[in-house]
Amino acid sequence: MRKVVICGQSRLTTAVIKTLIESSLPLELSILSPDVPSIDSLALLSEMGHNPIVKLTAKGWASVDALVVTDFGEATGSDFQQTMLDQLRKVMSTAMAAGFQGKVLIAAHEDAVLTYFAQRFSGLAKETVIGLGTFGMSACFERLASAALHVPRRQMTAYAVGTASQPVLLWSRAYVAATPLLALLPPVDGMANPLLTQVADAVSQYAQGEAAIFWPALVQRVLAGFFGQPLLAPLTVIDEAAAWSIPVLINEQGAQVLATMTAADAEMAALETVKTTQAAQVAAIQGE
């Protein structure tokens, strides 16, 4: 069984743990925070479910395969970012001192900043520290487009990149099989095809939606990528000055960028704006 540690103190934490208890992935779960909502019910579920919750000892960190970081508190709070950074520093310090060498998945709000600092705090290889990024937004993009065109989802490729707060929809790199998606979206009454607006609105609604509903399945899929079921998806990875979400291959080595991402000029300009914003945010936190 693969050993996964989950930390956080929120409804999202509870939802992630519940999903992993019931997952078909063979997992042994440990919970770092005693104040997780509904912790007693989760413990009971683990006794009835597929995957057990076990106590993590200091020596146990060396054999942990993955650490999943979720929200500590409500993401709407004014001190959320500082709380997350403080908790992240504590968790990574404890884990590294005890010999942790696994992978880190940031499944929390503001994951771009947190992914960058998780790697800085830990010293782990950059490809092993990853955030959920725009994975869910890309799924939203693909599902809505496939439904509108009445084509199978597996034939659709469409990505949102950037960050959850600044997603960039890559219409120029969206395809149905080998056909560019835009070629299948003619103007309507002299106006741009309404699907373009519908997708943007749906992605915005997803970003404002309940993470505890949307994210647990994404966490499970990324962990499956770490544990032998490769995944190609837009996830947050680290560059020199910051972190943002781009399409990467997730496998047992972590995240691998397969090729330099290209898109239409306007889309690349929008992504550069995201990069500039993220680099400035990182610099501000570091006091530079």
Side-chain angles (χ1 to χ4, degrees):
M1 301 180 77
R2 300 296 188 127
K3 296 182 179 181
V4 176
V5 174
I6 306 102
C7 67
Q9 296 175 351
S10 64
R11 290 183 61 238
L12 172 60
T13 313
T14 301
V16 167
I17 295 168
K18 179 180 183 296
T19 294
L20 296 183
I21 289 172
E22 299 176 326
S23 173
S24 60
L25 296 172
L27 305 174
E28 183 178 273
L29 307 173
S30 295
I31 304 172
L32 280 190
S33 310
D35 297 328
V36 172
S38 305
I39 185 66
D40 291 339
S41 295
L42 290 171
L44 179 58
L45 180 64
S46 75
E47 295 175 4
M48 301 184 296
H50 183 75
N51 295 318
I53 294 176
V54 302
K55 184 177 180 180
L56 180 67
T57 64
K59 292 182 178 179
W61 272 110
S63 60
V64 169
D65 296 290
L67 167 65
V68 179
V69 179
T70 64
D71 289 348
F72 284 83
E74 294 298 324
T76 54
S78 60
D79 60 346
F80 175 76
Q81 184 186 90
Q82 189 58 54
T83 297
M84 288 299 303
L85 288 169
D86 290 345
Q87 293 290 345
L88 186 62
R89 186 188 295 273
K90 292 177 183 176
V91 171
M92 297 314 305
S93 176
T94 298
M96 301 312 297
F100 173 66
Q101 288 297 315
K103 298 176 182 66
V104 178
L105 173 60
I106 306 296
H109 289 84
E110 301 193 32
D111 80 292
V113 165
L114 297 175
T115 299
Y116 180 85
F117 282 99
Q119 193 277 326
R120 289 291 300 271
F121 294 158
S122 67
L124 291 166
K126 290 181 180 179
E127 61 268 20
T128 65
V129 184
I130 299 154
L132 278 186
T134 52
F135 184 10
M137 294 177 172
S138 296
C140 184
F141 187 175
E142 289 186 345
R143 287 170 181 160
L144 190 59
S146 64
L149 295 175
H150 304 288
V151 299
R153 165 77 187 282
R154 64 182 180 275
Q155 298 296 329
M156 180 72 61
T157 302
Y159 293 127
V161 297
T163 66
S165 59
Q166 288 183 283
V168 179
L169 301 178
L170 298 185
W171 287 97
S172 69
R173 290 295 179 264
Y175 291 89
V176 179
T179 303
L181 176 57
L182 289 176
L184 303 175
L185 301 177
V188 176
D189 296 329
M191 304 292 288
N193 192 286
L195 184 62
L196 277 71
T197 300
Q198 292 168 7
V199 167
D201 290 344
V203 168
S204 178
Q205 291 175 13
Y206 176 93
Q208 298 171 34
E210 179 57 66
I213 294 175
F214 294 138
W215 293 6
L218 305 180
V219 170
Q220 179 179 228
R221 184 62 188 93
V222 175
L223 290 178
F226 289 156
F227 302 153
Q229 301 176 33
L231 166 70
L232 183 60
L235 296 160
T236 299
V237 292
I238 301 163
D239 203 336
E240 291 302 319
W244 41 76
S245 188
I246 58 174
V248 292
L249 175 66
I250 299 296
N251 57 24
E252 293 184 350
Q253 284 70 52
Q256 298 180 31
V257 179
L258 298 181
T260 302
M261 196 186 74
T262 60
D265 289 347
E267 294 165 349
M268 293 303 293
L271 183 58
E272 285 300 318
T273 298
V274 174
K275 293 180 178 181
T276 300
T277 300
Q278 289 306 119
Q281 193 171 5
V282 165
I285 293 170
Q286 293 175 324
E288 297 176 354

